[in-house]
């Protein structure tokens, strides 16, 4: 066995981390070839080379699948899911050159503990923690899964294991969205029945100092709602004759930011309130014309709230902001009238969805003109990528339909992550309970059970029944839908599989103090993860090998 001991797995992890596979980089494109080369050193893949494949994920990216079959007649298959891209390293400051050299970085932190925050300092001095970009999120999980594949190739498990490792999880999950049709094709080709999609993302601490292991039965959802505010242009010398869009968007942000009505609670899982992620004034030059177009986007996390309910809430917030703007404008206009003879305009702000704006534009100006404007906007390339392009499309239609102004238009931007949970699945609940009992008996450790992984992850693209209707509503209000971004919702309706996340303990994902508990990852999890796989197969009526390893397909 080449990936069995703590030392061997640490070496493998460090090799993988040294490939700086930042999302969108050339290293991200070559990384799956490295994994392929490593896996092909296993004797099993010398006999079955066709069972490792690289699949196109768009923009030069590729995902990797590697299948180890127990016997030709065995259909039960566990999908081991992971991602290999990482976020950039600018947050490391003076230590950036060592961010992808875990051993060297850890030595530096151990020799200069004063540079670290107190908790990270303690872990550096502990000797069991490894620092570096990607050690936690999530190349340690990939290393564990490669070890499981090696054990499967030696006949340890009663069913098949299919490793799927993907790019782009940290940006838009293009890798996982491409993986769904690939998984369906692999099931058809090899006669596979998917028992579970088992992810190995690290757990997220619930409070400061939390070093607990968690089993997650799903993952939180994320959407990026946006509002385009279209006011009325005027000369700064006649400010009350217009409506400043920057003022409109500021009031909208005031209504949305940390709005507790959007907090969702499911058992012990609680979402954080929304927060603004992007703010744009669409006046790009300087002049004495007031800005009359602006846009804002918000991070909104969800658990079980439907898309219909969410849109209703967002429209209600926009209407509340609109009424506040109207009232405030009237008060200030009357106050200004005390100083000069001015007319007080009757201001009314419309609130509508992108779908409503689009339908009006097509009905009034024709499909051909609307499509031409969208094509023009699709050429817009800004620092926020798809977000800037989305705003450009909405802006073009708002400019075309200026007679509707002043208005607030609700739209959605990529990416969209559906919330997924198998918390009601008795099969998954039984496996989680048995794994927690095993950990308690074997290690005296308590494993927490959570319904949703709080770090957004690719389990969102494992299908659940009834997802198509919700995604169709999203598509109607997402300007970039099938114009560079889409979700394979038809395939998701065929890829309805229970999900589970069992991964190592790590801390500070996406921070310069990102680190991994190596003992937990490569000693404890090297016992718990195979125990989980055995239990999954056993609960799916597959025989667990008792003394002799199961025969491997030759």
């Amino acid at each position: 066995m080449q990936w069995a001991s703590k030392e061997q797995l640490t070496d493998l992890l460090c090799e993988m981390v040294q490939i700086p596979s930042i999302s969108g980089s050339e290293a991200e494109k070559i990384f799956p070839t490295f994994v392929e080369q490593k896996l092909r050193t296993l004797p099993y893949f010398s006999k079955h080379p066709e069972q490792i494949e690289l699949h196109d994920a768009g923009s030069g990216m590729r995902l990797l699948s590697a299948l180890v079959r127990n016997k030709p007649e065995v259909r039960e298959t566990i999908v081991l899911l992971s991602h290999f891209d990482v976020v950039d390293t600018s947050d490391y400051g003076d230590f950036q050159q060592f961010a992808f050299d875990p051993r060297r970085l850890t030595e530096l932190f151990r020799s200069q503990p004063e540079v670290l925050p107190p908790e990270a300092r303690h872990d550096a001095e502990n000797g069991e923690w490894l620092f570096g970009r990607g050690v936690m999120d999530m190349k340690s999980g990939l290393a564990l899964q490669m070890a499981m594949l090696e054990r499967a190739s030696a006949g340890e498990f009663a069913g098949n294991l299919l490793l799927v490792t993907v790019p782009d999880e940290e940006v838009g999950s293009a890798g996982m969205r491409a993986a769904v049709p690939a998984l369906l094709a692999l099931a058809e080709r090899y006669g596979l029945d998917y028992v579970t999609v088992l992810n190995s993302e690290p757990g997220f601490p619930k409070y400061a100092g939390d070093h607990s292991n968690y089993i997650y039965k799903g993952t939180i959802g994320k959407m990026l709602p946006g509002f385009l505010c279209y006011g009325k242009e005027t000369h700064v010398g006649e400010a009350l004759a217009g409506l400043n869009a920057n003022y409109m968007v500021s009031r909208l942000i005031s209504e949305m930011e940390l709005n507790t009505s959007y907090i969702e609670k499911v058992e012990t899982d609680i979402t954080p309130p929304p927060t603004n992620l992007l703010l744009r004034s669409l006046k790009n030059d300087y002049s004495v014309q007031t800005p009359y177009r602006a846009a804002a986007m918000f991070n909104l996390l969800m658990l079980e709230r439907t898309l219909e309910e969410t849109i209703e809430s967002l429209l209600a917030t926009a209407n509340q902001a609109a009424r506040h703007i109207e009232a405030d404008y009237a008060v200030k206009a009357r106050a200004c009238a005390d100083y000069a003879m001015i007319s007080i305009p009757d201001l009314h702000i419309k609130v509508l969805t992108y779908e409503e704006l689009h339908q009006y534009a097509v009905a009034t100006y024709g499909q051909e003109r609307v499509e031409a404007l969208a094509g023009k906007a699709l050429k817009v390339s800004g620092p926020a990528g798809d977000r800037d392009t989305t705003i450009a499309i909405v802006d073009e239609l708002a400019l075309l339909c200026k007679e509707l102004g002043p208005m607030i238009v609700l739209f959605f931007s990529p990416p969209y992550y559906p919330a997924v949970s198998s918390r009601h699945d008795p099969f998954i609940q039984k496996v989680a309970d048995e794994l927690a009992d095993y950990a308690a008996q074997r290690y005296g450790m308590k494993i927490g059970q959570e319904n949703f992984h709080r770090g957004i992850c690719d389990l969102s693209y494992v299908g659940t029944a009834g997802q198509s209707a919700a995604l169709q509503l999203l598509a109607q209000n997402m300007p970039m839908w099938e114009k560079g971004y889409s979700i394979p919702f038809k395939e998701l309706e065929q890829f309805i599989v229970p999900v589970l996340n069992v991964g190592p303990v790590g801390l500070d994902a996406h921070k310069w103090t990102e680190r991994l508990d190596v003992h937990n990852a490569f000693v404890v999890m090297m016992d718990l993860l195979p125990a989980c796989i055995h239990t999954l197969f056993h609960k799916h009526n597959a025989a667990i090998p008792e003394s002799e390893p199961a025969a491997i397909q030759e």
Side-chain angles (χ1 to χ4, degrees):
M1 289 285 189
Q2 57 179 313
W3 304 317
S5 70
K6 174 182 173 183
E7 292 72 22
Q8 289 172 322
L9 285 163
T10 303
D11 287 343
L12 174 61
L13 173 61
C14 289
E15 277 190 83
M16 290 195 291
V17 171
Q18 284 167 356
I19 300 174
S21 51
I22 296 170
S23 304
S25 68
E26 288 301 312
E28 181 188 29
K29 295 175 183 178
I30 66 171
F31 187 91
T33 303
F34 169 84
V35 178
E36 178 187 20
Q37 291 169 348
K38 285 290 183 182
L39 291 174
R40 290 199 184 280
T41 63
L42 299 177
Y44 177 86
F45 289 114
S46 297
K47 298 174 183 175
H48 307 284
E50 74 286 356
Q51 289 174 208
I52 298 180
E53 295 182 64
L54 294 174
H55 309 260
D56 179 48
S59 302
M61 298 182 295
R62 295 174 298 172
L63 64 100
L64 177 140
S65 66
L67 173 66
V68 173
R69 304 187 70 184
N70 180 282
K71 296 177 182 177
E73 65 272 17
V74 173
R75 298 179 63 91
E76 290 85 1
T77 305
I78 293 172
V79 178
L80 301 177
L81 176 64
S82 57
H83 72 86
F84 52 76
D85 64 315
V86 300
V87 297
D88 72 30
T89 58
S90 57
D91 52 325
Y92 279 82
D94 290 344
F95 296 97
Q96 186 173 11
Q97 62 179 311
F98 306 109
F100 293 113
D101 188 347
R103 287 193 170 101
R104 178 67 177 133
L105 182 65
T106 304
E107 289 173 5
L108 285 171
F109 286 159
R110 197 169 293 149
S111 63
Q112 304 174 51
E114 67 280 0
V115 304
L116 294 169
E119 187 180 352
R121 185 183 313 159
H122 175 271
D123 292 338
E125 293 169 344
N126 173 275
E128 283 294 346
W129 291 78
L130 192 67
F131 289 74
R133 178 61 83 231
V135 294
M136 171 197 180
D137 186 14
M138 69 160 292
K139 290 178 178 177
S140 54
L142 174 55
L144 284 166
Q145 293 179 347
M146 291 169 68
M148 295 306 101
L149 217 59
E150 181 179 32
R151 292 170 73 155
S153 73
E156 180 166 334
F157 302 116
N160 311 317
L161 292 189
L162 173 60
L163 172 69
V164 175
T165 189
V166 302
D168 195 52
E169 191 265 0
E170 302 291 2
V171 178
S173 285
M176 185 58 188
R177 287 184 282 121
V180 173
L183 281 161
L184 293 175
L186 288 167
E188 179 71 22
R189 185 189 314 164
Y190 293 107
L192 309 177
D193 290 333
Y194 295 135
V195 173
T196 309
V197 177
L198 178 59
N199 201 10
S200 290
E201 286 270 13
F204 273 59
K206 296 188 71 173
Y207 52 85
D210 181 17
H211 290 184
S212 304
N213 272 101
Y214 290 97
I215 298 168
Y216 298 95
K217 290 166 275 188
T219 184
I220 199 168
K222 169 196 167 76
M223 61 175 60
L224 199 60
F227 298 93
L228 184 131
C229 295
Y230 192 105
K232 184 179 180 182
E233 71 277 13
T234 188
H235 190 284
V236 294
E238 299 178 305
L240 284 167
L243 178 59
N244 193 311
N246 290 351
Y247 165 65
M248 294 174 69
V249 81
S250 70
R251 289 306 301 255
L252 190 52
I253 290 175
S254 181
E255 296 291 339
M256 278 292 295
E257 185 70 18
L258 305 180
N259 186 330
T260 56
S261 70
Y262 288 92
I263 292 175
E264 190 177 355
K265 187 175 189 297
V266 175
E267 296 182 359
T268 61
D269 294 284
I270 302 173
T271 62
T275 189
N276 177 250
L277 284 184
L278 185 147
L279 175 61
R280 291 279 190 276
S281 173
L282 301 181
K283 180 184 178 185
N284 297 317
D285 60 342
Y286 173 81
S287 73
V288 290
Q289 181 191 59
T290 57
Y292 64 98
R293 288 136 47 231
M297 292 186 190
F298 298 85
N299 188 77
L300 183 59
L301 302 176
M302 64 278 190
L303 301 177
E304 294 183 345
R305 184 187 287 120
T306 66
L307 194 58
E308 292 89 344
E309 292 168 338
T310 301
I311 289 176
E312 183 179 344
S313 296
L314 290 166
L315 289 173
T317 299
N319 271 294
Q320 186 171 350
R323 304 297 80 82
H324 285 166
I325 293 167
E326 292 165 359
D328 192 40
Y329 190 90
V331 168
K332 290 176 178 176
R334 284 192 295 268
C336 289
D338 293 339
Y339 296 91
M341 292 294 295
I342 61 170
S343 60
I344 300 176
D346 182 20
L347 182 65
H348 179 71
I349 301 168
K350 298 180 182 68
V351 174
L352 60 159
T353 63
Y354 173 76
E355 180 186 11
E356 291 169 334
L357 176 65
H358 187 271
Q359 287 175 347
Y360 175 88
V362 170
T364 307
Y365 298 100
Q367 183 75 35
E368 185 176 347
R369 188 169 181 190
V370 170
E371 289 182 358
L373 288 173
K376 172 186 172 184
L378 284 168
K379 298 175 183 177
V380 171
S381 178
D386 287 348
R387 275 56 58 189
D388 285 325
T389 307
T390 296
I391 290 172
I393 296 173
V394 185
D395 189 38
E396 287 288 350
L397 287 192
L399 284 165
L400 177 65
C401 306
K402 59 175 64 66
E403 64 273 15
L404 295 177
M407 58 182 157
I408 298 173
V409 182
L410 167 67
F411 61 89
F412 293 95
S413 173
Y416 173 70
Y417 290 82
V420 169
S421 180
S422 296
R423 72 187 187 97
H424 295 301
D425 190 318
F427 163 63
I428 291 297
Q429 187 57 58
K430 185 67 175 175
V431 170
D433 289 342
E434 290 200 9
L435 185 60
D437 289 343
Y438 178 80
Q441 295 170 11
R442 179 95 169 177
Y443 298 100
M445 63 184 289
K446 181 180 179 181
I447 294 186
Q449 294 191 37
E450 300 288 325
N451 297 314
F452 300 89
H453 192 275
R454 288 183 297 282
I456 298 157
C457 78
D458 282 331
L459 286 179
S460 281
Y461 300 104
V462 180
T464 56
Q467 243 178 12
S468 285
L471 289 175
Q472 190 61 45
L473 182 59
L474 176 81
Q476 292 164 352
N477 288 288
M478 182 177 278
M480 283 201 66
W481 189 263
E482 294 188 347
K483 295 180 177 68
Y485 181 85
S486 63
I487 296 170
F489 59 82
K490 291 181 181 178
E491 288 85 353
L492 283 175
E493 288 288 353
Q494 303 172 54
F495 188 54
I496 299 176
V497 185
V499 301
L500 197 61
N501 191 102
V502 178
V505 169
L507 291 172
D508 291 355
H510 298 193
K511 299 180 182 179
W512 66 278
T513 48
E514 177 180 354
R515 58 199 183 277
L516 176 76
D517 183 337
V518 178
H519 177 82
N520 175 275
F522 297 147
V523 177
V524 177
M525 289 306 303
M526 273 294 286
D527 184 27
L528 295 186
L529 195 56
C532 178
I533 293 170
H534 280 303
T535 305
L536 285 166
F537 282 132
H538 177 67
K539 294 302 174 187
H540 220 73
N541 299 319
I544 296 178
E546 296 180 355
S547 54
E548 295 297 324
I552 290 295
Q553 174 197 354
E554 296 294 343

